[in-house]
Structures are given as C-alpha cells and as structure tokens.
Amino acid sequence: MNFDFDIIVVGAGHAGCEAARSAAVIGARTLLVTMDLNKIAQMSCNPAIGGIAKGQIVREIDALGGMTGVVTDRTAIQFRMLNRSKGPAMWSPRAQSDRAKFSAMWREVLENTENLSMWQGNVDALIFDESGALAGVHTLEGAEFRARAVVLTNGTFLNGLMHIGRSQFEGGRISEPAAHGLTEQLRRLGFTADRMKTGTPMRIDGRTINFALATPQGGDDDFHHFSFLPDVRRSLRQRDCHIVYTNPETCEILKKGLPDSPLYNGQIQSIGPRYCPSIETKIVTFADKTEHQLFLEPEGETTHEYYVNGFSSSMPMDIQIAAISTIPALRDAQLYRAGYAIEYDFFDPTQLRHTLETKLVDGLFFAGQINGTTGYEEAAGQGLVAGVNSAAKVLGRPEFTLARDEAYIGVLIDDLVTKGVDEPYRMFTSRAEYRILLRQDDADMRLTPRGYEIGLADERRYRLMEEKRRLRDGLVALARELTVRPAELNPLLDAVGSSPLQQGVKLASLIQRPQLTIAVLADAVPALRAAIDALPDDRRDEIVEAAEVLVKYEGYIARERVIADKLRRLEDVAIPEDTDFDALKNISTEGRQKLGRIRPKTIGQASRIPGISPSDVNILLVLMGR
C-alpha cells in the first residue's frame, strides 16, 4: 500500500476529475480522494453539459487535452448548438447526458489513467511537517497520505447544510454526508471564508407526465459535438426534452408557501445564484409574471427520471407538489424526490494566484465551487489548470496560465483572482471582452499547441489539429485567390436574393455576403466543390465551417486581435512581488488597500481590479519605469 504521492486531489467532482487526470498525465504520482467512488463526476443538478459560454469552456478543456468533452459526447442523449441565429462568437454547444453513464465513464477514464490512484475517504484536515510546509491530508477514517501539493475541490460539501421548507439537515448532496474540519483549519491559517447557496429542482417519473400537453424540443442531427477528436461521436439513443409553463394558479400556491420558504423566512442567509434563481425567487422578483418556462429533461437513455429545469426550489415538500400539479402536463406527476437548497463554505478567490495556488500556503490549490463558482464547466476548467500547475510545481516545470484573449478559462480565472465574487460566479459570453477571438469553433487552434507543450494533449491530437489548420487555411486561400465571373454566379445570386455581379470578384467577397455560405457557393463553383470533396469525410463539415467563419468575419477578427495585442502589453509589465503599495501615496486609499490585498503580478491585472482608476494605473506605469 502506497501512502506517498506527488499530488493529492480532494473531491471527485468535475474539478477533481480533471485535476487528478491532468496531474497524472503530465507525470505526477497522483491520488484522488473522494467520499464515494460510485459517485465520481456526479451531475449534482441538471444532467447537461455546456450552454452559453459554458460550452466554449468545454471545447477549450478538450482542446487542451482534458476529458470532459469526450465523456460528454460518448454519454450524450441530445446535442444542440445554441445561438445559431447570432454570430459565431455566440454559438455555444450544449448536450443532455445520461447521468449514470457520464459518471461511470469518468470512473473508467480515471481507473485507466497511468500514475493515478484512488481512495475512498472523507478528508478532514491538511497535514503539515515540522517546518510548517504542506505535507498531505488526514481522513476522518484515520488514513494519512503524504504529498508535496494538494488540490482541494470540495464542491458543496464543506459544512453543507440542506433545506426543504423548515426542515434542515447536514449533507454535501442529498443522502451524502457533509465535510467538516477543513474550513475551520484553513480559517486558522488566515484564509477568509464565507457561505454560498445553491439549489436543485424535484425529479419526476416520466411515466406520469402527459407529454401530449408539452412542447417537444429535439436536438441537432449534424456534425457538431464537443470533442475535436474525429472518432468521438454520440452513440446513445437520442431523446427529446419538453417545454411546459407555470400559470397563475402555480404562482398563487408558491406565494402561499413563502412564509415557510428558507429563502424568505430568514433560515438561509447566504448568497444564491442570480442567474439561476429558484422558482420562489422568480415569483417574488417578477411578481407581475405568471408564465415561467420549464424544461423537462430526461436523466438518461433508458430511465424514466426527469429533471424539471427552471423549478429549483427549497419550498416545503407539499407546496412543491401542489404547485407542480397545477401545470396540465404534470397534473398527475409522481416525484422521485423533492427539490432542495444547500448552503456550503467557499473561500475568497482573491486569495489565489492565476495558477490557482493559494497565496497563504505553498503547494495548496483550490478549484471549483470552493472558489465561489457555479457550474460543472467552470469547475472542470479550473480543475484542469490546478492539476497542471500542481504537477508543474512538484516536477519543477513552468507555470501554466491562460490569458483573457486566449481562453474563456483565462477570463474565468482572472475574474476570480482579480475581482473576487459576491455571488456564485457563472460564465457568460459578455464577460469576455475578446469573445470574437474565443469562439468555440477554433478552441483547438488556440489551445491544442499549449496543451501539447505541457504534455496534456497527445501527439495524435496535435497532428490532427495541424492537419485541420492546413486544410482550413488552404480553403481560405482558395476563397481569397479564386476569381468568379457573373455568368457562373448570377443565376445563384438571383435565386437567393443577393445582388448580381457586374464584374468578376474574389470568391471570398461572396462568402462574406449574409445570404451565402461555402456550401451554397460550391454548387456553382467547380473548383470550390473539388476542394471540399477532397477533405476527409469525417472532418469535412468542421473544416468548411472553420474556414467560412474566418472568411466571413475576417475584419472583425483582425480588429479585435489588434485591440487585444495593444492591451496585452500591460500584461508584460511586471510588478515586483515586494512592492510596498501602502507607500504609494499618490494612489488613492482604496487603490492602495486593494492592491495590497490582491497583490497583482502585472499592470494589466492591476488595471482590472475594481476601484483601481486609470490615474492609479498611470502612476504604477511611471513607478515601473514605463
């Protein structure tokens, strides 16, 4: 029995799985400790991966060599590309997953990862050696494991407290124990902690749903998927979701239950997610609205269990049942279990570096909801970065960080460590100032070279990316160089309602027209058709789409790249670690306080701290000799 490792990862949620696998693949001897080996990568809330901006994060994880995208594709029971009516910067993939198969496949991945061991236990303390250095973890069961670095990914388990009406009971998830000891120890070490709240809806037996009174919502049946690997595809039976709506009777019942709602009777004091509100929050915040959209989402390929997306609640059980039965399609609904809210501890993420290592304890990393985030995807992205950096630390390799113009994961981490959180953090496309550069279609071009460089993306993935780049760029070059004539194109242009040509033009200028696509033009341009037909069958549509986006939006992309490059210069101006910010009297008091607390590494990071003014930045630039 081995009790000595390089890295210990605590918690096997989405952050923990990516962290443990990343560290092990890079070469660190890694131990993953979790309370229940049968609930690895559990989808604690909705059985879905991706969505607005979240889907981009999963594509980035995959491009870097992580596994969330692969596992999602192989366990998906529905896939949709959201926001297709908008520009490609807004396109966001989302998949419904089979909850049980998702967890089982992640366990299979981890069990077959070299350098990775697993242990079932409840970590209640960190271990420090005689010199005060971090040395490992202690479990409630009495086991002690040693390591040079520890990654905490505790999710909602730290002092977790659940609420259903006035009933309260401890737990990190329904029917699972809470974790005690770590928060108290970390506070004694000087860490600042607080409480957050999240919740989940009831689960319903699909055999008691009247689907004839619900609107079906099917998935896409095209080439899109999460992983950039061409042999990773959906293989499970695809299933529809369904849409229903609340009504005035629903809202009246919910209003009557407010006096017993933990959110409104003073029982819950912690911060809840603004962007995923409970149904009781909706009827209070939007008091004049009675029709709230709900999605009935299947939990798996064969199960009858359905998740009621949009009806998260901690109301008393009888109120939840009475309210849901007012919806015609759910009038006879039989519940598997009621919805509940959960309060848990998190730590101020400004106590972290961009590597997700804590500033107070060398070798200690945080990832996931412990940092105040919400969502599987945000957690998985942090887990990958924490895993890579914990391994880099013990193996003596360079730190791994992602810039804001390089990845949504970079935006996420920079927001956390620079601005902190005052509510559960959720990623949106609006948080990324360079979202045209951070599209889901080119995550592999942006990040696979980075993943390959650190040893996470393998040789095959890197070669596939290079081949795709060559074929894509060849198609773009053809579009920019090939001249097309009015005689061959005007019949097509007339058919689609586009202006006719008066003279020959480059093919690229036609692709840039909103009514036209490469696929449409290929029917009239033999050279384009031949180039498309020569592409690999299993990647043809993906390569064509990638080329079309570059041609259609080249002006926007180039302009945003110029802006990003200008602002990135501030990231190259380092601030010495021993800078005494209190001595900078020309900077405002608020500015000095925040600079001293967060201790930014660069002028760029300092400029994004709330309360730091442009004049403060200018003073810092002068002091840095710039």
Side-chain angles (χ1 to χ4, degrees):
M1 178 69 188
N2 180 26
F3 288 89
D4 294 308
F5 295 87
D6 295 321
I7 310 290
I8 295 172
V9 177
V10 179
H14 303 269
C17 287
E18 287 289 2
R21 180 184 173 275
S22 298
V25 168
I26 286 174
R29 294 176 302 109
T30 304
L31 176 69
L32 177 60
V33 184
T34 182
M35 289 185 185
D36 190 343
L37 287 171
N38 296 312
K39 292 184 177 177
I40 286 172
Q42 179 83 329
M43 290 175 146
S44 307
C45 201
N46 63 320
I49 291 288
I52 306 302
K54 294 168 174 282
Q56 282 89 324
I57 290 176
V58 178
R59 293 280 269 175
E60 291 174 353
I61 292 169
D62 183 77
L64 287 163
M67 286 299 293
T68 298
V70 172
V71 173
T72 300
D73 283 337
R74 289 181 171 161
T75 61
I77 56 174
Q78 186 190 95
F79 182 93
R80 296 179 66 214
M81 184 65 76
L82 308 182
N83 278 346
R84 285 304 297 271
S85 63
K86 301 180 181 179
M90 305 295 287
W91 298 351
S92 301
R94 184 181 190 271
Q96 296 292 137
S97 287
D98 184 304
R99 182 191 300 273
K101 289 184 172 68
F102 186 93
S103 177
M105 183 157 289
W106 250 118
R107 174 161 178 169
E108 180 182 339
V109 167
L110 296 174
E111 285 191 331
N112 289 280
T113 298
E114 192 175 352
N115 294 322
L116 179 59
S117 299
M118 291 188 283
W119 179 263
Q120 183 165 297
N122 185 338
V123 172
D124 60 357
L126 301 172
I127 298 172
F128 295 87
D129 63 19
E130 298 79 7
S131 68
L134 181 64
V137 301
H138 178 275
T139 74
L140 188 65
E141 301 80 13
E144 288 192 359
F145 294 94
R146 300 280 169 166
R148 294 160 59 192
V150 174
V151 183
L152 295 184
T153 70
N154 302 81
T156 59
F157 282 78
L158 293 178
N159 294 319
L161 180 65
M162 290 182 280
H163 304 261
I164 300 178
R166 294 188 181 274
S167 299
Q168 300 179 58
F169 45 99
E170 286 192 352
R173 210 160 34 209
I174 197 72
S175 302
E176 296 181 59
H180 299 290
L182 279 173
T183 298
E184 293 73 19
Q185 182 185 28
L186 290 169
R187 276 186 166 135
R188 290 194 298 271
L189 292 170
F191 285 90
T192 300
D194 207 336
R195 299 279 279 174
M196 277 189 176
K197 167 261 173 190
T198 189
T200 192
M202 62 182 66
R203 309 298 197 270
I204 290 179
D205 188 334
R207 294 170 296 184
T208 63
I209 298 173
N210 187 344
F211 289 106
L213 300 178
T215 303
Q217 184 186 54
D220 298 342
D221 185 21
D222 62 13
F223 69 93
H224 289 110
H225 48 109
F226 274 108
S227 180
F228 288 98
L229 298 176
D231 55 344
V232 177
R233 290 291 186 271
R234 296 183 292 279
S235 60
L236 301 186
R237 178 172 68 94
Q238 301 298 284
R239 298 188 65 181
D240 288 348
C241 295
H242 288 79
I243 299 173
V244 296
Y245 294 88
T246 62
N247 54 54
E249 187 182 359
T250 316
C251 296
E252 278 304 311
I253 291 174
L254 291 168
K255 286 176 184 175
K256 290 177 182 177
L258 288 177
D260 291 315
S261 166
L263 288 175
Y264 293 97
N265 66 9
Q267 204 169 295
I268 292 178
Q269 299 289 331
S270 50
I271 313 161
R274 184 194 319 182
Y275 302 106
C276 188
S278 65
I279 189 66
E280 51 264 44
T281 300
K282 290 178 185 177
I283 66 165
V284 171
T285 305
F286 309 103
D288 57 336
K289 183 177 180 181
T290 58
E291 191 176 79
H292 299 280
Q293 190 176 54
L294 308 178
F295 295 88
L296 307 179
E297 301 177 347
E299 296 260 348
E301 182 184 23
T302 59
T303 181
H304 293 297
E305 189 172 358
Y306 273 76
Y307 174 94
V308 188
N309 194 338
F311 207 85
S312 175
S313 180
S314 58
M315 288 285 223
M317 196 179 306
D318 60 330
I319 295 293
Q320 293 188 43
I321 295 170
I324 205 73
S325 67
T326 63
I327 299 169
L330 305 177
R331 195 168 301 281
D332 300 315
Q334 180 73 26
L335 273 63
Y336 280 100
R337 63 174 169 83
Y340 64 89
I342 180 169
E343 293 182 283
Y344 57 94
D345 296 337
F346 79 99
F347 291 84
D348 179 358
T350 62
Q351 299 170 106
L352 303 173
R353 300 183 174 93
H354 279 80
T355 59
L356 296 182
E357 184 179 19
T358 67
K359 297 173 182 175
L360 288 175
V361 176
D362 192 58
L364 179 63
F365 295 76
F366 292 169
Q369 284 178 283
I370 193 172
N371 291 335
T373 62
T374 179
Y376 312 141
E377 305 81 5
E378 291 91 340
Q382 293 173 70
L384 185 146
V385 171
V388 169
N389 280 305
S390 62
K393 187 174 188 69
V394 301
L395 298 175
R397 297 179 185 174
E399 293 180 347
F400 174 75
T401 58
L402 293 166
R404 294 183 70 91
D405 63 344
E406 198 173 13
Y408 271 94
I409 298 171
V411 175
L412 163 68
I413 293 175
D414 186 65
D415 279 353
L416 292 176
V417 305
T418 301
K419 302 174 182 177
V421 293
D422 55 11
E423 62 186 4
Y425 182 100
R426 180 177 180 177
M427 178 54 72
F428 291 103
T429 51
S430 59
R431 294 190 189 273
E433 58 270 44
Y434 308 118
R435 54 186 174 272
I436 296 175
L437 303 179
L438 305 183
R439 308 180 312 277
Q440 61 83 32
D441 67 272
D442 79 333
D444 53 343
M445 301 299 169
R446 288 184 276 121
L447 297 175
T448 296
R450 297 289 314 276
Y452 182 66
E453 180 184 15
I454 61 177
L456 190 56
D458 61 19
E459 183 77 21
R460 174 174 176 262
R461 181 183 286 275
Y462 182 74
R463 296 304 167 206
L464 284 167
M465 181 276 301
E466 286 287 284
E467 180 190 41
K468 177 183 169 183
R469 187 194 301 276
R470 176 178 60 81
L471 295 172
R472 180 204 67 180
D473 291 351
L475 207 54
V476 171
L478 174 67
R480 290 172 177 166
E481 295 165 5
L482 181 64
T483 299
V484 292
R485 306 295 175 187
E488 57 183 329
L489 263 299
N490 278 347
L492 172 63
L493 298 179
D494 181 62
V496 299
S498 190
S499 302
L501 298 179
Q502 304 301 318
Q503 60 186 21
V505 298
K506 297 300 183 186
L507 178 61
S509 68
L510 291 178
I511 295 173
Q512 289 172 347
R513 293 188 181 189
Q515 307 95 332
L516 298 173
T517 65
I518 287 179
V520 169
L521 289 165
D523 293 334
V525 183
L528 180 59
R529 168 57 62 198
I532 293 173
D533 289 345
L535 297 172
D537 292 344
D538 59 351
R539 309 183 76 195
R540 180 177 295 121
D541 292 335
E542 178 185 342
I543 293 167
V544 169
E545 181 180 85
E548 184 171 300
V549 168
L550 288 186
V551 174
K552 270 189 180 295
Y553 300 94
E554 65 175 341
Y556 299 98
I557 294 170
R559 183 174 61 189
E560 194 153 281
R561 182 74 269 166
V562 169
I563 295 170
D565 288 344
K566 285 181 178 178
L567 292 177
R568 189 178 257 231
R569 294 171 193 168
L570 293 178
E571 306 298 336
D572 296 331
V573 184
I575 299 175
E577 289 190 8
D578 59 354
T579 300
D580 182 3
F581 293 107
D582 286 334
L584 307 181
K585 300 305 181 184
N586 289 329
I587 292 178
S588 66
T589 301
E590 180 187 8
R592 294 198 305 274
Q593 290 172 346
K594 290 191 172 181
L595 288 168
R597 180 168 63 88
I598 295 172
R599 304 205 66 80
K601 297 185 71 174
T602 68
I603 297 293
Q605 185 190 356
S607 70
R608 294 187 294 275
I609 297 173
I612 301 300
S613 68
S615 64
D616 293 336
V617 173
N618 283 333
I619 290 167
L620 287 172
L621 283 168
V622 170
L623 292 171
M624 298 304 117
R626 303 294 284 269

